[in-house]
Amino acid sequence: MFTSVLMIEKALTSADVEFVTTLHGDEPVAFHVLLQPRGDQADRLLRAIDDVALGELDEAVREGETPEGEEALPVGQRALEVSLTALRAAGARAEGRMVEDHPLDELRSLVVEAGADEVIVLTDPHYVEEFFHRDWASRARHKVGVPVLKLFSHSKA
């Protein structure tokens, strides 16, 4: 069985689930999902710049409404449960948890704990962070000791 650690920031869409569950053909996959809600990742200005770069001006205006800190936990927990349910319905083994501390430290620990074969980072584009190689995938490549695949979400959840 192939073991993947899947880092996400929101609930997986059906297209995302199909994409990650078919990456390895017919080989069975076990996912260890690590979710950090978008509001806990970067400041509002960076998120708004990403929205503008994507041409999503309405989203940029609403960034102030994105739950952060303790307010993001219930939204994140629901997103995690939806994602785990969808992965299991697609035939994959799946378990997961919310990020409680620094995401890359938790990622490194989870890779070791799960004996992961790879890390998949599946997020919306974060152009500012990616340009400066400060996004999860770029930083994880230097920390986890397994291949890191960066994928973009197919659509809004």
Side-chain angles (χ1 to χ4, degrees), residues 81-148:
E81 290 304 320
V82 164
S83 299
L84 294 174
T85 300
L87 288 167
R88 291 174 188 142
R93 286 192 7 207
E95 60 182 52
R97 64 186 185 218
M98 298 282 294
V99 170
E100 295 178 11
D101 198 13
H102 190 276
L104 293 177
D105 291 341
E106 287 197 39
L107 175 63
R108 181 175 43 217
S109 296
L110 185 54
V111 165
V112 171
E113 176 186 317
D117 298 302
E118 70 180 355
V119 170
I120 300 170
V121 177
L122 181 72
T123 64
D124 287 334
H126 298 291
Y127 293 118
V128 174
E129 292 164 333
E130 289 165 15
F131 179 78
F132 291 106
H133 303 285
R134 301 303 305 155
D135 59 300
W136 284 343
S138 295
R139 294 185 301 165
R141 285 185 179 107
H142 304 287
K143 288 192 163 215
V144 297
V146 297
V148 177

Side-chain angles (χ1 to χ4, degrees), residues 36-99:
Q36 182 180 36
R38 181 174 175 172
D40 282 355
Q41 294 171 30
D43 66 35
R44 289 180 182 149
L45 177 60
L46 288 179
R47 294 191 318 254
I49 291 170
D50 287 337
D51 291 334
V52 170
L54 290 169
E56 297 173 353
L57 300 179
D58 291 340
E59 290 293 321
V61 171
R62 288 195 295 271
E63 279 302 339
E65 300 168 11
T66 301
E68 296 180 351
E70 293 293 318
E71 294 176 6
L73 291 178
V75 173
Q77 192 61 47
R78 280 192 305 274
L80 179 60
E81 290 304 320
V82 164
S83 299
L84 294 174
T85 300
L87 288 167
R88 291 174 188 142
R93 286 192 7 207
E95 60 182 52
R97 64 186 185 218
M98 298 282 294
V99 170

